[in-house]
Amino acid sequence: MGEPGGYRCVECNREAPELYRDYQRGVLRIAICKSCQKPVDKYIEYDPVIILINAILCKTQAYRHILFNTQINIHGKLCIFCLLCEAYLRWLQLQDSSQNTDPDDLIRYAKEWDFYRMFGIASLEQTAYLVGIFTALWLARPESLKTKSDFIFLLKALLLSSYGKLLLIPAVIWEHDYTPLCLKLIKVFVLTSNSQGIRVTLNLSQTLTLLAILSGLILENGIVYFFQRMGWNV
């Protein structure tokens, strides 16, 4: 993502002017951090698959590489696709609970509307979750979110670290007796990734990060409770 503050050392989180130096004719030398005397970003030599594995393992260095030292601009598309995955999962569960198999056009239209409704609900829940996190962080550490760019950068980090929601689709396609457990594990993985994204982006303690995640979950569940009180299946 490469903002704000430029490049960062993946080991000590200090700012760095460059990741490597090009000596022409294909000769590159990785920059050394002046603070910790280690390579600023060892991941620039790694295969993307290795970087992905390290990110799945929630390694801090991998997150710093992705968030500070790369130009990834798929946050919006990834967010929409994750919401579509979640909406499809809820819509599928809603259809499984319905015994109506009438092929009438009106029924098909109603089912299509159910999918759009699930997408809207998932979007509102995601928004409430993010608002809860931002509110908690702003109240606890207002200096960490001083400018608009700080908010935008954290938002991008949270959206990017929610990539685990993409696992919802294969979990549903290859449905088996352990699917409910898989869905819960995916939820835990996404929350863990979000927590790591907050820690790396704002350099916060684990306790404060967990409190922010908890605040987001409380607000998200409040939205779920509101829809349930309205009699909607969510």
Side-chain angles (χ1 to χ4, degrees):
M1 285 161 46
E3 56 173 291
Y7 300 122
R8 296 288 183 91
C9 173
V10 299
E11 301 294 340
C12 66
N13 201 39
R14 293 295 181 89
E15 292 186 13
E18 59 185 0
L19 298 179
Y20 60 87
R21 184 161 296 179
D22 189 353
Y23 291 98
Q24 303 300 326
R25 297 183 181 179
V27 179
L28 301 176
R29 181 181 179 183
I30 297 179
I32 301 299
C33 177
K34 296 180 180 179
S35 177
C36 65
Q37 301 302 315
K38 294 181 179 180
V40 171
D41 192 346
K42 61 185 179 182
Y43 286 101
I44 61 176
E45 291 187 316
Y46 285 21
D47 187 270
V49 176
I50 302 299
I51 298 174
L52 177 60
I53 292 174
N54 279 260
I56 292 174
L57 295 175
C58 290
K59 288 192 174 182
T60 302
Q61 294 90 339
Y63 270 71
R64 285 177 182 152
H65 165 77
I66 295 171
L67 296 178
F68 291 109
N69 300 339
T70 59
Q71 298 294 331
I72 299 178
N73 296 305
I74 60 170
H75 318 90
K77 294 179 181 179
L78 181 63
C79 177
I80 295 298
F81 192 72
C82 287
L83 288 173
L84 287 172
C85 292
E86 196 161 348
Y88 175 74
L89 172 64
R90 299 183 183 196
W91 178 80
L92 200 61
Q93 292 174 335
L94 184 64
Q95 301 310 308
D96 289 342
S97 63
S98 174
Q99 301 299 319
N100 196 332
T101 57
D102 193 333
D104 187 81
D105 289 341
L106 183 62
I107 299 300
R108 286 199 297 269
Y109 174 79
K111 290 183 178 181
E112 182 179 349
W113 167 249
D114 282 338
F115 177 79
Y116 296 139
R117 181 165 62 90
M118 291 301 154
F119 180 82
I121 292 174
S123 301
L124 288 174
E125 289 180 12
Q126 174 82 343
T127 302
Y129 173 71
L130 294 174
V131 169
I133 290 177
F134 278 106
T135 302
L137 291 174
W138 186 77
L139 292 175
R141 289 280 298 275
E143 67 276 8
S144 63
L145 296 171
K146 294 182 294 185
T147 64
K148 181 180 178 181
S149 61
D150 293 331
F151 278 94
I152 294 176
F153 187 67
L154 179 58
L155 176 62
K156 289 181 178 180
L158 286 169
L159 295 179
L160 197 60
S161 61
S162 298
Y163 66 94
K165 290 183 179 180
L166 299 177
L167 297 173
L168 290 172
I169 294 301
V172 172
I173 293 177
W174 291 289
E175 185 176 3
H176 49 71
D177 295 339
Y178 297 104
T179 295
L181 176 61
C182 291
L183 297 179
K184 289 183 174 62
L185 291 176
I186 291 172
K187 179 70 173 179
V188 172
F189 175 71
V190 171
L191 294 177
T192 304
S193 299
N194 288 160
S195 174
Q196 188 71 318
I198 295 173
R199 288 184 62 195
V200 169
T201 303
L202 302 180
N203 199 25
L204 300 178
S205 65
Q206 187 172 6
T207 301
L208 184 55
T209 301
L210 292 177
L211 286 176
I213 295 293
L214 181 61
S215 299
L217 286 175
I218 290 174
L219 198 55
E220 179 185 359
N221 287 323
I223 295 295
V224 173
Y225 177 75
F226 171 75
F227 285 122
Q228 289 176 342
R229 291 284 293 179
M230 292 178 60
W232 288 14
N233 292 322
V234 296

